């Protein structure tokens, strides 16, 4: 210890000095993430706002990364006086918090690639890669960016061998899903199965919350995908999208005019973007699926209204869920809300049954005059996930084979829950929790999550 003290400061602190930076009160969201409780934000703000001009007072904020992709943040203020340095250590400031924006900067990117992890454009629904961006008649301003492609057997993020995985994890072919009788019948889950489904959906909810906390300008969707992947794997689950029909990432990130199935890539999120994060976890033999659209920094009023509309559409769809309810009625009610708020409903993608399979019966269109069959019964489990466009409802797909975008380049928003029909009505298996980030951009009491 005495020898260490005798070393010059630059030698003693060399290991962690590059990871330190001066922060101000305006840096709070960059440092700990967004949507955290007001009390936690106030504590960190007061520490970050400590004036640097006062040589007798300073503060330190420490953010410690956990294996699950989240961070724990603690802070302390110090006062130097005649009796030495007095420290005032706060309780845990934020747990869980997000990694800082600076820590989320990729060590390697398309401009500075790692030979073992080249950055390439995705093609053919994930089955191939290209060094150059494919030509396409892009309607909106967004363009695909290269994705990180590990040079392992499957060119995917690693999942520990001990974690149970679905049948498509190695082959990209969900045989059990395509051949299952659950594609034709609506299965009724019993109490024991629903208990496990709740555990699965809790893992999925935690992963979405961890990912959404980290959504800020300057962050790439590739970095967000890593957080989602780490969280699910650390909790003993498998990210359901990973290698599902060759999908190359662990979640879907859909920016601005992307309707759904956006692939996390090297593009940096910008102030004013909107981002949908769609997470599904496979845990103890079940899948749990949910998504949310959030603003990146401050958005324009038109985008805020679109997100509000999409959330109201989800709420109206959920209100139709009860024993005896008709699946086709969900689309009728969703469309009324969307049209009343000058928006359109995407017709190409629907809600779906979920449980032991990622996608199965029932099929749940969100548009009016649909042909969905069947009525709801206690124990049915499915998603409602209306995709709402600011412009026309029509969509096109990018050359990667996955990314669905609005045909006219207008923005799109979506929210999703996995739910179960109960004797009393409905249970949201992926419901928000007390620690879910408060990132919704509105204050309408009718639309609070």
């Amino acid at each position: 210890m005495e020898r260490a003290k005798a070393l010059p400061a630059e030698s003693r602190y060399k290991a962690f000095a590059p990871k330190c930076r001066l922060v101000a009160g305006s840096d709070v969201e960059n440092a700990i993430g967004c949507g955290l409780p007001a009390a936690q934000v106030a504590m960190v703000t007061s520490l970050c706002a400590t004036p640097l001009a006062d040589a007798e007072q300073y503060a330190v904020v420490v953010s410690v990364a956990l294996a699950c992709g989240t961070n724990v943040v603690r802070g302390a203020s110090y006062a130097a006086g005649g009796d030495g340095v007095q420290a005032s250590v706060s309780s845990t400031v934020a747990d869980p918090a997000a990694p800082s924006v600076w820590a989320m900067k990729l060590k390697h990117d398309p401009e500075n690639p790692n030979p073992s992890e080249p950055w390439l454009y995705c093609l053919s629904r994930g089955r191939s890669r290209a060094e150059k961006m494919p030509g396409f008649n892009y309607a909106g301003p967004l363009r695909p960016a290269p994705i990180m492609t590990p040079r392992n057997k499957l060119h995917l993020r690693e999942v520990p061998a001990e974690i149970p995985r679905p049948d498509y994890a190695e082959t990209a072919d969900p045989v059990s899903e395509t051949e299952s009788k659950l594609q034709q019948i609506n299965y009724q889950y019993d109490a024991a199965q629903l208990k496990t489904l709740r555990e699965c959906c809790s893992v999925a909810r935690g992963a979405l919350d961890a990912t959404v906390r980290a959504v800020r300008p300057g962050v790439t969707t590739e970095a967000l995908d890593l957080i989602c992947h780490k969280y699910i794997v650390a909790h003993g689950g498998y990210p359901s999208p990973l290698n599902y029909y060759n999908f190359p990432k662990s979640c879907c990130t859909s920016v601005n005019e992307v309707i759904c199935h956006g692939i996390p890539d090297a593009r940096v999120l910008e102030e004013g973007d909107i981002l949908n994060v769609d997470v599904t976890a496979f845990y103890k033999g079940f899948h749990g699926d949910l998504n949310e659209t959030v603003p990146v920094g401050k958005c324009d009023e038109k985008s805020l209204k679109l997100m509000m509309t999409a959330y109201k559409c989800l709420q109206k769809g959920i209100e139709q869920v009860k024993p005896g309810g008709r699946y086709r009625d969900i689309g009728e009610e969703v469309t009324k809300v969307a049209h009343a708020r000058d928006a359109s409903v995407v017709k190409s993608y629907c809600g779906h049954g979920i449980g032991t399979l990622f996608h199965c019966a029932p099929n749940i269109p969100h548009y009016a005059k649909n042909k969905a069959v069947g009525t709801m019964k206690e124990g049915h489990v499915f998603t409602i996930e209306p995709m709402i466009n600011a412009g026309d409802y029509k969509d096109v797909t990018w050359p990667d084979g996955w990314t669905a975008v609005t045909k006219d380049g207008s923005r799109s928003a979506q929210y999703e829950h996995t739910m179960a029909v109960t004797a009393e009505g409905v249970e949201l298996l992926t419901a928000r929790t007390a620690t879910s980030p408060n990132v919704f951009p509105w204050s309408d009491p009718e639309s609070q999550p």
Side-chain angles (χ1 to χ4, degrees):
M1 181 65 72
E2 293 301 322
R3 181 181 178 185
K5 290 181 179 179
L7 292 173
E10 58 269 24
S11 298
R12 280 184 281 153
Y13 305 131
K14 185 176 181 180
F16 62 87
K19 300 180 181 180
C20 300
R21 64 183 294 127
L22 292 174
V23 294
S26 59
D27 290 319
V28 172
E29 191 168 279
N30 284 339
I32 65 174
C34 57
L36 293 169
Q40 294 181 354
V41 174
M43 293 174 71
V44 179
T45 301
S46 65
L47 294 171
C48 292
T50 303
L52 294 175
D54 187 352
E56 295 184 351
Q57 185 179 7
Y58 59 96
V60 176
V61 176
V62 180
S63 182
V64 180
L66 304 180
C68 62
T70 64
N71 281 41
V72 174
V73 176
R74 294 181 68 89
S77 59
Y78 297 85
D83 297 329
V85 176
Q86 301 294 322
S88 173
V89 182
S90 74
S91 59
T92 299
V93 173
D95 180 14
S100 74
V101 167
W102 313 292
M104 291 181 68
K105 290 188 181 298
L106 301 172
K107 294 181 180 178
H108 301 281
D109 57 33
E111 305 302 321
N112 179 35
N114 181 342
S116 65
E117 295 179 346
W119 292 79
L120 302 168
Y121 290 93
C122 180
L123 296 175
S124 304
R125 289 183 64 82
R127 291 189 296 272
S128 64
R129 303 285 190 271
E131 293 184 356
K132 295 183 178 180
M133 184 176 71
F136 186 72
N137 183 23
Y138 296 98
L142 195 69
R143 297 292 183 272
I147 67 172
M148 187 271 290
T149 307
R151 287 206 185 280
N152 53 29
K153 179 182 177 182
L154 297 175
H155 304 298
L156 304 171
R157 294 197 191 280
E158 298 284 358
V159 177
E162 67 272 14
I163 290 180
R165 56 201 70 204
D167 62 342
Y168 57 80
E170 301 290 334
T171 65
D173 185 9
V175 175
S176 61
E177 182 174 294
T178 56
E179 296 182 353
S180 174
K181 63 180 181 180
L182 298 185
Q183 298 299 341
Q184 284 76 45
I185 65 171
N186 297 338
Y187 185 79
Q188 291 178 266
Y189 289 92
D190 60 31
Q193 292 170 317
L194 287 173
K195 180 181 178 182
T196 307
L197 254 171
R198 290 187 192 97
E199 295 177 25
C200 171
C201 288
S202 178
V203 173
R205 162 53 68 185
L208 179 64
D209 288 349
T211 307
V212 163
R213 279 190 203 96
V215 175
R216 291 153 293 179
V219 169
T220 64
T221 51
E222 175 69 42
L224 295 176
D225 181 73
L226 179 58
I227 290 176
C228 179
H229 182 90
K230 283 184 175 181
Y231 188 97
I232 294 174
V233 169
H235 287 79
Y238 180 91
S240 300
L242 191 63
N243 214 27
Y244 181 76
Y245 289 111
N246 296 109
F247 190 81
K249 296 295 176 178
S250 296
C251 67
C252 299
T253 52
S254 301
V255 181
N256 297 341
E257 66 262 33
V258 179
I259 297 170
C260 60
H261 303 158
I263 300 173
D265 60 24
R267 180 185 179 272
V268 175
L269 293 174
E270 300 175 356
E271 184 89 15
D273 286 343
I274 63 173
L275 170 70
N276 178 271
V277 181
D278 194 333
V279 171
T280 311
F282 179 74
Y283 180 76
K284 293 186 177 180
F286 290 87
H287 299 267
D289 189 5
L290 75 162
N291 74 55
E292 292 176 354
T293 303
V294 297
V296 181
K298 294 182 179 180
C299 291
D300 61 85
E301 289 299 321
K302 187 175 181 180
S303 295
L304 297 181
K305 180 183 178 182
L306 174 65
M307 288 185 278
M308 178 83 161
T309 300
Y311 194 78
K312 282 182 173 289
C313 286
L314 172 63
Q315 286 184 309
K316 183 58 69 173
I318 292 171
E319 288 176 10
Q320 314 313 310
V321 180
K322 58 184 180 297
R326 300 191 306 172
Y327 283 109
R328 67 177 60 182
D329 291 342
I330 293 173
E332 296 290 340
E333 297 303 318
V334 165
T335 300
K336 290 178 184 177
V337 174
H339 287 182
R341 296 176 63 84
D342 302 317
S344 63
V345 182
V346 174
K347 297 183 178 182
S348 299
Y349 302 94
C350 302
H352 54 88
I354 192 170
T356 54
L357 300 176
F358 195 171
H359 298 91
C360 58
N363 186 51
I364 304 171
H366 303 111
Y367 54 89
K369 299 180 181 179
N370 64 76
K371 300 294 192 294
V373 298
T375 58
M376 303 170 202
K377 296 181 180 179
E378 186 176 355
H380 284 184
V381 176
F382 51 87
T383 72
I384 297 179
E385 46 184 302
M387 285 147 264
I388 308 300
N389 294 351
D392 190 72
Y393 73 88
K394 295 178 182 177
D395 64 277
V396 294
T397 304
W398 278 359
D400 60 36
W402 281 106
T403 306
V405 299
T406 58
K407 189 173 183 178
D408 60 5
S410 63
R411 289 190 169 188
S412 185
Q414 178 191 18
Y415 297 88
E416 174 188 21
H417 276 303
T418 293
M419 62 202 71
V421 181
T422 67
E424 295 75 27
V426 61
E427 177 186 356
L428 298 183
L429 301 176
T430 51
R432 292 173 63 82
T433 70
T435 59
S436 293
N438 183 20
V439 292
F440 290 95
W442 55 76
S443 58
D444 184 343
E446 296 180 4
S447 297
Q448 290 298 322

